């Protein structure tokens, strides 16, 4: 028997492509839709409104369609309170639990809409008194009130950026061109503006930053106060330290681009020297480590999270080998981030992206187009992707930031 239900779409539903996305999704799932009401905003800043009747071949089919449309940002016209069920064991969620998106989400509790805190994708919503919190399954405790179904939940997809912004210029797409001076300048302007407003910038970086010669540029950014948190793995720190101690990365002399004698041992030597000192901080204080990315983090009190993996050599004593602990520390470190710059590390970038709300401005840089596309597929409207060599990107960005800072100091 055919089943029907109304949905509402509100906001900039045309230029954000929400309306055509809804149409496409309904048709892809072999459903039908009927436009009941459609009010179009007249000015650029005006919002629009649409009420649609969605039809499925039966109730289960309809619920599947509504579930997908809800994740896109569709709302159910009724305004009932959110529904919860109690977790019967640690890390066991009630059947029919609501799985979150990375978009800002609100739930109705006792007749009032409350914003869900610590928004992230693929989590559950736990209600405590009149608060709602995104909670991953590993942190669900027996007795938690977990949201189930879709009643009393509103998802608000971010609107397309308006005004002069690099994110509007790039239209949230992957650029397959090498970065131009204009593009790098606009990214530098965004970073400088965020820092002047007291905002927070997070860097996610892989070892290619060192391999390609971008180490000194990233160290300069940290030294000049443009980095508030560094997220990486064992490899970035090891090869950064290897370069500082031996002038090589993966045993290759970055000046002559030739393998150094016995160079294949250098990264192991680097790990050993830091272990001998006790930690990266101890190595800096003892004068063993005198430059580079990790050195500047220590000297400038920039917190870092080094999340380990099964393939790590060593690892360094600062590396967190407990995956769940590393996740928690990453989530804490990126709270309230304004810009996240991800460079040449697919796994750490995806991990970070999964912890971020879609409103955070994100820049993904990698030489591999597939990596950038995968990162962009998070669905954030506030993300851009750049396909280029990070060894070219970072020095150019550092140069533009220095130039902009000098111009502002001169009043230009």
């Amino acid at each position: 028997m055919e089943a029907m239900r109304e949905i509402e779409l509100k906001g900039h539903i045309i230029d954000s492509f929400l309306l055509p996305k809804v149409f496409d999704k309904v048709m892809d799932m072999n459903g039908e839709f009927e436009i009941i009401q459609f009010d179009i905003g007249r000015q650029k800043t005006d919002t629009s409104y649409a009420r649609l009747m969605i039809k499925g071949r039966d109730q289960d089919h309809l619920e599947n369609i509504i579930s997908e449309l809800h994740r896109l940002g569709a709302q159910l016209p009724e305004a009932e309170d959110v529904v919860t069920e109690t977790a019967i064991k640690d890390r066991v969620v009630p059947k029919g639990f609501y799985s979150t998106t990375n978009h800002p989400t609100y739930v109705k509790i006792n007749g009032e809409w409350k914003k869900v805190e610590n928004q992230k994708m693929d989590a559950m919503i736990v209600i405590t008194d009149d608060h709602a919190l995104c909670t991953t399954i590993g942190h669900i405790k027996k007795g938690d009130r977990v949201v189930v179904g879709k009643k009393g939940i509103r998802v608000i997809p971010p609107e397309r950026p308006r005004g002069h912004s690099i994110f509007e210029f790039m239209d949230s797409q992957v650029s397959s061109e090498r970065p131009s001076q204009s593009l790098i300048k606009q990214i530098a302007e965004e970073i400088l503006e965020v820092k002047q407003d007291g905002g927070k910038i997070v860097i996610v970086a892989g070892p290619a930053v060192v391999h390609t010669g971008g180490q000194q540029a990233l160290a300069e950014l940290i030294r000049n106060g443009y980095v508030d948190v560094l997220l990486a793995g064992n490899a970035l720190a090891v090869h950064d330290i290897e370069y500082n101690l031996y002038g090589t990365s993966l045993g290759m002399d970055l000046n002559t681009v030739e393998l150094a004698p016995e160079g294949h041992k250098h990264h192991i030597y680097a790990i050993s020297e830091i272990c001998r000192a006790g930690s990266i901080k101890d190595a800096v204080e003892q004068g063993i480590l005198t430059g580079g990315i990790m050195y500047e983090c220590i000297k400038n009190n920039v917190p870092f999270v080094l999340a380990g993996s099964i393939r790590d050599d060593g690892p360094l004593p600062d590396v967190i080998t407990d995956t769940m602990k590393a996740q928690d520390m990453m989530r804490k470190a990126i709270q309230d981030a304004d810009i996240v710059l991800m460079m040449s590390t697919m796994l750490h970038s995806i991990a970070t992206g999964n912890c971020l709300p879609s409103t955070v401005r994100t820049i993904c840089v990698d030489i591999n187009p597939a990596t950038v596309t995968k990162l962009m597929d998070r669905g954030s409207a506030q993300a851009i992707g750049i396909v280029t060599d990070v060894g070219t990107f970072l020095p150019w960005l550092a140069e533009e930031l220095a130039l902009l800072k000098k111009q502002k100091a001169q009043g230009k």
Side-chain angles (χ1 to χ4, degrees), residues 234 237-238 241 270-272 274-275 280 306 313-320:
N234 183 64
V238 167
I241 293 166
I271 294 169
S272 177
I274 301 302
C275 289
I280 296 174
L306 303 179
D313 288 324
L316 291 166
D318 301 79
V319 171
I320 305 163

Side-chain angles (χ1 to χ4, degrees), residues 6 14 51 116 226 251 270 277:
E6 291 184 9
I14 300 174
R51 180 184 282 257
V116 178
Y226 295 115

Side-chain angles (χ1 to χ4, degrees), residues 156-305:
I156 313 295
E159 299 172 357
R160 190 182 74 177
R162 296 169 184 275
H164 181 69
S165 168
I166 180 62
F167 297 91
E168 181 179 27
F169 169 73
M170 291 295 291
D171 198 25
S172 298
Q173 299 297 316
V174 174
S175 169
S176 59
E177 300 178 355
R178 295 184 68 82
S180 65
Q181 185 173 4
S182 176
L183 175 57
I184 298 295
K185 182 179 180 180
Q186 289 183 69
I187 293 174
E189 288 172 346
E190 290 277 348
I191 291 174
L192 192 59
E193 181 179 345
V194 165
K195 291 308 300 178
Q196 289 177 337
D197 292 339
K200 182 175 182 178
I201 297 175
V202 177
I203 298 292
V204 186
V209 168
V210 181
H211 304 333
T212 59
Q215 180 212 37
Q216 296 304 321
L218 180 52
E220 180 182 337
L221 294 183
I222 297 170
R223 184 167 55 252
N224 291 335
Y226 295 115
V227 180
D228 297 291
V229 175
L230 173 67
L231 303 183
N234 183 64
L236 172 78
V238 167
H239 296 298
D240 167 64
I241 293 166
E242 175 194 347
Y243 178 73
N244 178 257
L245 297 182
Y246 307 107
T248 61
S249 179
L250 279 177
M252 179 176 290
D253 189 312
L254 295 184
N255 294 318
T256 64
V257 197
E258 295 179 356
L259 288 174
E262 299 291 307
H264 64 284
K265 299 180 180 180
H266 286 178
H267 74 287
I268 301 297
Y269 287 156
I271 294 169
S272 177
E273 289 305 303
I274 301 302
C275 289
R276 191 193 311 276
S279 68
I280 296 174
K281 182 178 180 180
D282 290 334
V284 171
E285 291 177 347
Q286 294 170 27
I288 298 169
L289 187 62
T290 58
I293 298 167
M294 304 312 300
Y295 170 86
E296 294 296 346
C297 284
I298 298 298
K299 295 300 268 186
N300 294 279
N301 297 314
V302 173
F304 56 84
V305 179

Side-chain angles (χ1 to χ4, degrees), residues 308-352:
S309 74
I310 197 169
R311 66 185 185 278
D312 287 341
D313 288 324
L316 291 166
D318 301 79
V319 171
I320 305 163
T321 56
D322 184 327
T323 304
M324 295 299 102
K325 182 180 178 182
Q327 280 187 16
D328 289 344
M329 293 187 68
M330 287 174 63
R331 292 190 186 103
K332 183 177 181 180
I334 63 179
Q335 283 185 0
D336 302 319
D338 293 285
I339 290 180
V340 176
L341 176 55
M342 305 173 173
M343 298 179 292
S344 299
T345 171
M346 181 173 68
L347 296 180
H348 284 87
S349 295
I350 292 175
T352 304

Side-chain angles (χ1 to χ4, degrees), residues 106-154:
Y106 294 79
V107 295
K108 196 172 188 183
I109 307 173
N110 298 324
E112 295 185 15
W113 288 102
K114 302 288 186 179
K115 187 173 183 180
V116 178
E117 301 171 18
N118 294 343
Q119 189 67 48
K120 62 179 77 68
M121 63 173 64
D122 301 326
M124 296 83 228
I125 300 176
V126 172
I127 305 298
T128 304
D129 297 327
D130 61 347
H131 293 281
L133 178 69
C134 260
T135 305
T136 56
I137 191 169
H139 292 82
I140 293 292
K141 300 297 183 183
K142 179 181 178 180
D144 281 347
R145 295 170 55 205
V146 180
V147 171
V148 296
K150 295 175 286 297
K151 292 182 179 179
I153 304 172
R154 288 184 178 176

